[in-house]
Structures are given as structure tokens and as C-alpha cells.
Amino acid sequence: MATFDQGNGHSGWSSDVATVTLGLDGVVTGWSEGARRLLGHRAPEVVGRPATELLLGAGAPEATGLSLTGSQEWRGTAALRHRDGHRVATTLHAQPSLDVDGRARSFVVALSPDPGPPLVQWAFDQSSIALSTHATASGAWQRNAVAQGGAERAPLTGGERRAPALADEGFLRCVRRVAEEGVPLHYECLAPEPSCGPGAPSAVLLGSARHRAWVIELWPVRDPGTGEVVGVGTAAFDSSDQHAARQRLALLQEAGTLIGTTLNVARTAQELADLAVPRLADFVSVDLLDSVLRGEEPVPGQVDAAVVLRRVAHQSTAEGEDVPEAAIDLGDMDTYPPFSPPARCLADGKPVLSGVDDPDFAAWIAGHERRTARVAEFGFHSVMATPLRARGITLGVAVFARSGGSPPFEPDDLILAEELAGRAAVGVDNARRYTRERTNALTLQRSLLPRDLPKQAAVEVAYRYLPAGTGAGVGGDWFDVVPLSGTRVALVVGDVVGHGIHASATMGRLRTAVRTLADVDLPPDELLTHLDDLVAHLATDLEDIHPDEPYLVSGEIGATCLYAVYDPVSRVCTFASAGHVPPVVLLPDGTARVVELTPGPLLGVGGLPFECTELELPEGSLLAFCTDGLVEARERDVGLGLDRLCEALAGPVTSLEAICDTTLRALLPASPYDDVALLLARTRALHADQVAAWSLPSDPAVVADARAQVTRQLTAWGLEEVAFVTELVVSELVTNAIRYGAVPIGLRLIRDRTLICEVSDASNTAPHLRRARTYDEGGRGLHMVAQLTQGWGTRQGPMGKTIWAEQSLPAG
């Protein structure tokens, strides 16, 4: 706007005023730079030409109410033609230039755009949008009532530097950037409601009236003539509803990824509480039926009457790990009366919105002393109770509460809470179902695994079994220690491919089969061959089962197994592997290494042989058998895991139980990815004074000599009490070997926890019990041996067979 100044008795305009000098004849004699900017004409184009040519349409200046006669200033309006032809409405203010006689010599006319009716200013002031302008030169702000926080607009002077009520540091940075770079910007912010006061919390609650969300558009204001940025315009739009909707959607999206991350009931409930605080509520509690925690199936439908629930999770806005707002501690039971909001929502199966204006809420609070104190201390005034229901069954209830200066819950909050509770309920139910299946599988698996390993003299043993700590379910890992004849012992470890009840059931069948085959005293390679056939038959049987059969995941069975037999007399351990992880041996000198075995195929492949590996071990050697869950992990392969197992075993020599614990700590994470079985065996040896052996010729006369040598040996051992029975056993077994066997024939006595008598020969024909008739002269020998001893049997060897009989030693 051009300004005119008549101060000090002379005329003049500021340098940027559009001015035109006219002679008394109406010819243009002067043309300012401001006139050029207003009308577009340059001075040479108009100076010396009649001013009427600038008028839009016919007529003289008199038509506008102006006169070029006299010596008085005058003002009026006119429609002038811009250089490009468009109409420019202007206000004219003429000031005469007088000579010494006071007569007008010329007129200086100031031109300014005609503002017309003040609609723009009215629109600016009365807009429901927060509008403001910022002058870059003076730093002054012009703003409407909304931008001032709703106050009545007061006239502002050019020196007003107070920023709009919505301004924060980010907004002011955007203003400076628009002024400097001349580019429009988009800015979003949250501004507190005036009712919040200076001490209002800064946390944003969904549906809360504490803060309003604003979207602000900023643009540069340029001088039309020079294009220079002279100011910044802003328009702020209230986007609180859209912001709240986006926040709700974001919360629901996070719920899909943050709730139900584990198959743990309590953890899933805690994830719901952690997500809802503080973005939806100031305090959240989750209570579940006890049957849910045990993995049992709750009663379908709603819960009637007073309900007893257990607190499994809660969270609040209080800093630290404690939740001082909680009236019930984690793990404690709470009884909700039928009129309480939680019990009402469980009975109806629908969420309930309640608060201090609800008589049932007041009665519920008053009926519990600790809850009454918490409500009074923290000012809880609004509550939502939402049932946790999934697949038609009720699992528990989630309670959301607001306290202090937080606004009451609204119906939109109830919808959001119901959606969150629904997603959490599905996660809790999945965890409950997993708990049930895992408990059943563990029960089955533990019933199939050995509880107490049998006593034997060959090795000292210790073991550990850890089920998987993830959602994979229990597996088919197993181990066993089987006493064999001749004080030998079989050490077994195996792993069925897969997880779940089907793997545990298969593991039980294989373990039973191994024990049965071990009782036959088969060599390790032959035992694995028979076990391989069994697995193939099991897989064939599964082909006839309907694919919808529970717990059946496929018609294929695969398993690995390592079978070892240790003989404390020869101190030789014989290994055979069916695709299993090799064992590690720690020698008495502290050297630990992996036993090099000839690996065989997995059980169930069929048609491929298994090979034995023999290793002579010093007394006191430590053998470590394990499944792949111990040595194989996502971040390392089996080779590296076996190296780490060697390092763990080579530590300070302690008890086997302590070695088991330190080994597991060294190799496993807190929650193993797979089942882990570890079996440690420290070898013992039977010395020369515990074993006596004789080689016998194939002559019936040697039987008496054999009895005499056995009697002398028993006397030397102080076992005269068993000499009579032992002589009878030796007579029968040696006689059978001479009569039905082949040379060489050997006799051996072993004194350990029992007395073992063994007779071997080169024949593979095994004797068997038969019923002798009354007048038969023979056929009673083995029957007598079976009656006089606690056990007898036959085992095959590479050079024939061995018949053994075992007797108990006298007490003491």
C-alpha cells in the first residue's frame, strides 16, 4: 500500500509509492518505478502521452470526480489499463505543485490498488482455520483468532513479534527455512489444549482431549514486482480425529507383531499390558482362569456368577519395574463379584465401560480394602473391562484404567480395547494349547526315558536331558545304559527326526527295541542292522494310517543312533553309528578328542551296512555321548560344537554331575533350540585278581580238573560258600561244550558284584532249555543251571559262542 505524508507542510511519498506527475493539460510528465511495478509500463512508454490513454474505457479524469484545475489536493478512484491489458482498480491521491504565486503548475498523483470491500481481511479474521503471516523484515506476526488459541482478535501493530499459539521450535524452524529457501513446507505437531495447563503430561493418549493434532502448511509470500520473499504464510488444520485414527491403526498393527511372540501364556498376557500402557491406558491388568495356565480346556461360553482369576500380568506408567497401582500381586488370586465390571463382561461376553459415575464400580472398589486405597491414591476414574475369548471359550479378562489428569475412556477406546484383547486372546489360547500338547509329550517322553540307570560295574555314569525351550515341541532324543553279560555294558544315545508326540512315541519303540536286541548280546553293527529293519517296518505301517490321524506329520520315520559296548576286562569299547554325532573321549592324561568312527546311514534307509570301531581305553577314561542339540546351533556347525565339547570336558576334573552342568552351561543358550541328551561314562577296569581263565582240551576227563581249578580259585577269593553250585555249573557247561561244541574251549571266572562263570567254544550252535521226560537220561543240565543261578544266557562272538551263568555273592 502506498503511503502519503503531508507532515511539515510539504508533500512527499516514500520511494516505493507509485507516483505519476501530470501537467495541467493532462499529459504525463513523470513516471516513478512504483508506477511501473503497478501498471507494467516503463517511463519512455507513457511520458509525454495523455494520461487518458491509461484509462480503461472512454472518459476524462473528470469522469472520476477529479479536476486538474485549482490548487487543492484531491482523491478518487479510477480503472486503469495494465500494460498487458488487464484492469487495475486504483485509488488516486493528487497533490498540486504550486509556484510562488500559489498557482498549480502540475499535479503529483499517488496510485494505489483499490482494496475494495475488506472481504479478504474478514475472511482472514473469521476463518475456522488457524491463519497467520510472518513478515521477514520486521519479524512481525499477523494472525487470526484461531491461531491465537481461540481468543478474540485484537488489532496488532507492525512491531508485534509474538508467535502464534501453535508455534513450537519445529514450527519456527520451518518458518525460517521457508523464508530463506522460498519453498513451501508441510509440518505436523501436537499442541496442548488450553485446559491442560502448563503442567499437563506430554504423553498422548488415544482418544484423549489433552492434545490436539495439527497439520500446518507453510508457503513463501513474494513481492509481485521483485519476486523477493517478504513473508511467510501459514494455515493450520485440526487433524485430531485423523491423528487418533492413525494412532489406533498403528497400535493394532503393532499388536499383530508384538503380542503372541512366544508360546508362553504369561508372557503373551504381559505383551498386551506393555503395548497398551501408556498409549491407551495408565494401568492395565490381565487375569486368567487357572485352567488356562495349566493348559487345560476351559468350559466353553461365558463365565457366570463370581469368578476367581489369577493375576498373570500388569503394567502402569510408573517408572521402574514395580507397579504400585496394582491391588493384586502377580500370581495371586482375585475374586470378582457378579456386579463388578470384569465379572459383567465375562458373563455377557462383551466389553464394559465403567467409571466413578457407575454405582457398580463404586461398590466393587469399596469391597476390597487394597483396591480402595489404590483408587484413592492414584485417582482411577475410568475403567474398561474386556473379556479374553478365543475359539468360543473364555480365558480371562483384561482391565484398562485411567487415572489422574487423563480423560475418561470413550466408546472408540472400548472398540480398540476389544480388538487388542481379541488378538491377545488368540495368542494366549495358542500358548495354552501348546502348553497342553507339550505337557502331554513331556509326560510321554519322560515315561519312556530311564528314570534311574541300572547299577553295573563297568562304568560310572551321569546324564542330563533338556527338552527344547522353543515352540518346536519335545523331540525324540533318548539315551540308555544296558548291563550285558560278562560285566560289559551297552551305552546308547539316539535321536528321532522331528518333534512332538509322534517323535516321542517312536523314540519309545526304538528304545524298547534296543533293549530287546541288547539282551540277545548282538554286536553293535548287527544290532543297528536289526534296528534299521525295524524303522523301515514302522514307516511301512504308517503308510496305512489316514493322513488326518492326530499327531502324525508324515509317513516317514528317520532316526540316528550310536551304540557302544564297553568290556571292563579287556578295556575295549566297540562303537557303531547310524548317522549319529560321534562321541568324545577324555583320557586320564587330560587329552580330549573326538572318536573317529565309520559313519553309517540313518536308521530307516535300509540296504547299507554298519561298521564297528574298537578303541582300547585306559581305566578312568571319560566318554561323552550326546545328541546334535548340544553341539549344533544356528551360529555354529557340528564340528565347531564338538571342539567346544572337548574344551569343556578338558576342564578341572570334578564329579560327573558337575561336569554335566558345566558342559551344558558352556555349550547351550538359556533356551535350547532342540532337545539335548548328554550321557557321560567314566570307565572302570577289572584287574587280574578279579578274573581267572583256563583253556581246556576237548576231553571229557578234563571236567573233573576244571571243577578242581574252580574250587581252588574260589577258595583263594574267599568264596567257599558258592563252590558247590559253581562246580555243578562248570560241570554242565564244560560237558556241553566238549560234547556239542568245537575247540578251542575256554573257561573263565569273573568276580565283581556277582560271580560269573563263562564257557566258550568255537561252535555257533546255541543250547536251549527243554523239558526232560521222566525216564530220559539227559536234558536236565541247563534246567538245573537256570534253577541254581540268578541268570544265564548265550552270546555270539566272532570265534563262536559263550555260555554264561551269574550267581549272587554271599552277603558281606
Side-chain angles (χ1 to χ4, degrees), residues 556-582:
E556 298 180 357
I557 294 179
T560 65
C561 183
L562 177 62
Y563 187 83
V565 175
Y566 174 70
D567 186 348
V569 177
S570 64
R571 301 193 308 278
V572 172
C573 189
T574 305
F575 305 88
S577 173
H580 198 81
V581 178

Side-chain angles (χ1 to χ4, degrees), residues 166-528:
L166 298 179
D168 57 11
E169 183 58 35
F171 171 76
L172 296 178
R173 282 197 301 268
C174 288
V175 171
R176 291 192 293 269
R177 182 179 173 188
V178 171
E180 294 170 359
E181 301 179 8
V183 294
L185 290 179
H186 175 90
Y187 180 69
E188 297 185 14
C189 69
L190 293 172
E193 287 284 323
S195 60
C196 290
S202 59
V204 177
L205 296 177
L206 294 174
S208 171
R210 294 181 186 177
H211 289 71
R212 309 290 301 180
W214 297 91
V215 174
I216 304 176
E217 301 292 339
L218 302 93
W219 66 92
V221 179
R222 302 178 183 274
D223 186 308
T226 64
E228 179 185 357
V229 177
V230 296
V232 177
T234 71
F237 304 89
D238 187 347
S239 61
S240 299
D241 292 340
Q242 296 86 340
H243 178 77
R246 290 197 304 269
Q247 290 289 89
R248 287 184 172 90
L249 289 176
L251 191 62
L252 289 176
Q253 183 178 10
E254 291 185 38
T257 57
L258 299 180
I259 297 179
T261 59
T262 65
L263 290 172
N264 181 280
V265 172
R267 180 57 193 163
T268 302
Q270 188 63 50
E271 288 169 347
L272 169 62
D274 293 342
L275 181 66
V277 175
R279 297 167 63 182
L280 179 60
D282 297 319
F283 172 79
V284 174
S285 65
V286 181
D287 298 344
L288 299 177
L289 294 167
D290 245 2
S291 58
V292 175
L293 298 175
R294 295 192 298 266
E296 300 173 359
E297 192 80 17
V299 178
Q302 288 76 30
V303 179
D304 296 328
V307 58
V308 180
L309 302 174
R310 187 177 298 278
R311 176 66 51 84
V312 295
H314 52 215
Q315 187 57 276
S316 74
T317 54
E319 297 182 357
E321 298 182 358
D322 295 334
V323 181
E325 296 93 334
I328 304 297
D329 294 330
L330 288 177
D332 288 352
M333 304 294 291
D334 190 20
T335 301
Y336 291 99
F339 56 83
S340 64
R344 283 160 46 197
C345 84
L346 290 175
D348 298 336
K350 299 179 181 179
V352 173
L353 180 60
S354 182
V356 292
D357 55 348
D358 183 359
D360 289 340
F361 174 83
W364 173 45
I365 299 303
H368 191 284
E369 181 178 354
R370 191 175 179 185
R371 186 172 283 115
T372 303
R374 293 295 185 271
V375 170
E377 180 180 358
F378 296 100
F380 290 114
H381 58 83
S382 186
V383 166
M384 296 186 298
T386 306
L388 297 177
R389 302 187 72 246
R391 301 179 180 93
I393 59 175
T394 300
L395 307 171
V397 63
V399 177
F400 305 82
R402 284 185 179 172
S403 61
S406 299
F409 288 115
E410 299 175 356
D412 286 346
D413 299 319
L414 193 64
I415 296 174
L416 177 61
E418 183 179 15
E419 182 68 22
L420 291 177
R423 298 194 180 194
V426 173
V428 169
D429 192 52
N430 288 339
R432 176 194 65 81
R433 290 154 64 93
Y434 168 76
T435 300
R436 181 188 61 191
E437 299 300 327
R438 179 177 171 80
T439 300
N440 292 340
L442 282 175
T443 301
L444 173 63
Q445 187 179 50
R446 287 169 179 164
S447 67
L448 298 175
L449 289 172
R451 292 182 177 272
D452 294 314
L453 296 179
K455 295 180 179 180
Q456 38 74 42
V459 292
E460 175 191 1
V461 295
Y463 62 91
R464 292 291 185 273
Y465 176 80
L466 296 178
T470 65
V474 295
D477 295 17
W478 94 90
F479 62 91
D480 209 345
V481 176
V482 184
L484 302 177
S485 63
T487 68
R488 296 170 307 132
V489 65
L491 305 170
V492 194
V493 62
D495 185 4
V496 175
V497 176
H499 294 84
I501 290 181
H502 73 282
S504 297
T506 303
M507 175 270 291
R509 300 173 79 173
L510 295 183
R511 177 173 176 262
T512 302
V514 169
R515 275 191 162 267
T516 302
L517 294 172
D519 286 342
V520 184
D521 252 330
L522 292 177
D525 54 341
E526 293 185 25
L527 183 142
L528 291 183

Side-chain angles (χ1 to χ4, degrees), residues 503-810:
S504 297
T506 303
M507 175 270 291
R509 300 173 79 173
L510 295 183
R511 177 173 176 262
T512 302
V514 169
R515 275 191 162 267
T516 302
L517 294 172
D519 286 342
V520 184
D521 252 330
L522 292 177
D525 54 341
E526 293 185 25
L527 183 142
L528 291 183
T529 300
H530 286 283
L531 197 62
D532 181 53
D533 293 338
L534 172 63
V535 173
H537 289 312
L538 291 177
T540 303
D541 294 340
L542 291 179
E543 294 177 357
D544 299 329
I545 299 179
H546 193 274
D548 294 334
E549 184 76 18
Y551 313 121
L552 183 64
V553 296
S554 72
E556 298 180 357
I557 294 179
T560 65
C561 183
L562 177 62
Y563 187 83
V565 175
Y566 174 70
D567 186 348
V569 177
S570 64
R571 301 193 308 278
V572 172
C573 189
T574 305
F575 305 88
S577 173
H580 198 81
V581 178
V584 170
V585 60
L586 174 66
L587 300 177
D589 61 2
T591 303
R593 62 182 177 87
V594 178
V595 179
E596 296 183 0
L597 303 180
T598 302
L602 269 68
L603 297 176
V605 173
L608 297 176
F610 299 94
E611 297 185 22
C612 287
T613 300
E614 292 188 350
L615 181 65
E616 185 174 350
L617 298 173
E619 183 179 4
S621 298
L622 179 62
L623 287 168
F625 302 84
C626 66
T627 55
D628 57 0
L630 179 66
V631 294
E632 187 176 18
R634 297 174 183 174
E635 68 279 1
R636 66 171 186 264
D637 59 15
V638 175
L640 180 59
L642 289 172
D643 292 340
R644 292 186 57 184
L645 177 58
C646 292
E647 295 174 1
L649 294 176
V653 178
T654 56
S655 67
L656 293 188
E657 297 292 335
I659 294 176
C660 282
D661 295 333
T662 56
T663 300
L664 295 182
R665 285 196 298 267
L667 273 73
L668 293 180
S671 181
Y673 303 114
D674 194 5
D675 284 19
V676 174
L678 174 64
L679 176 64
L680 298 183
R682 180 174 284 150
T683 63
R684 296 178 176 135
L686 295 182
H687 301 148
D689 60 346
Q690 295 179 272
V691 181
W694 300 272
S695 180
L696 305 177
S698 181
D699 182 359
V702 79
V703 175
D705 183 57
R707 288 199 301 268
Q709 294 189 65
V710 165
T711 301
R712 288 193 294 270
Q713 184 62 55
L714 293 178
T715 302
W717 285 343
L719 299 177
E720 294 87 350
E721 295 182 30
V722 298
F724 176 73
V725 173
T726 305
E727 288 181 3
L728 291 177
V729 170
V730 168
S731 294
E732 179 59 30
L733 297 184
V734 171
T735 299
N736 283 342
I738 294 173
R739 181 177 299 177
Y740 305 107
V743 292
I745 299 174
L747 170 64
R748 185 170 71 167
L749 291 181
I750 302 174
R751 176 180 60 87
D752 188 54
R753 299 182 179 182
T754 60
L755 179 65
I756 300 172
C757 177
E758 296 181 344
V759 175
S760 60
D761 65 82
S763 172
N764 290 321
T765 303
H768 60 276
L769 287 174
R770 65 183 180 88
R771 181 179 297 277
R773 292 185 292 271
T774 305
Y775 298 103
D776 288 347
E777 295 182 359
R780 298 179 178 84
L782 286 180
H783 182 75
M784 180 181 62
V785 170
Q787 294 295 318
L788 295 176
T789 61
Q790 68 178 30
W792 76 279
T794 304
R795 67 173 181 268
Q796 299 292 331
M799 301 300 294
K801 68 176 182 294
T802 298
I803 305 175
W804 57 270
E806 186 175 359
Q807 305 174 62
S808 299
L809 294 178

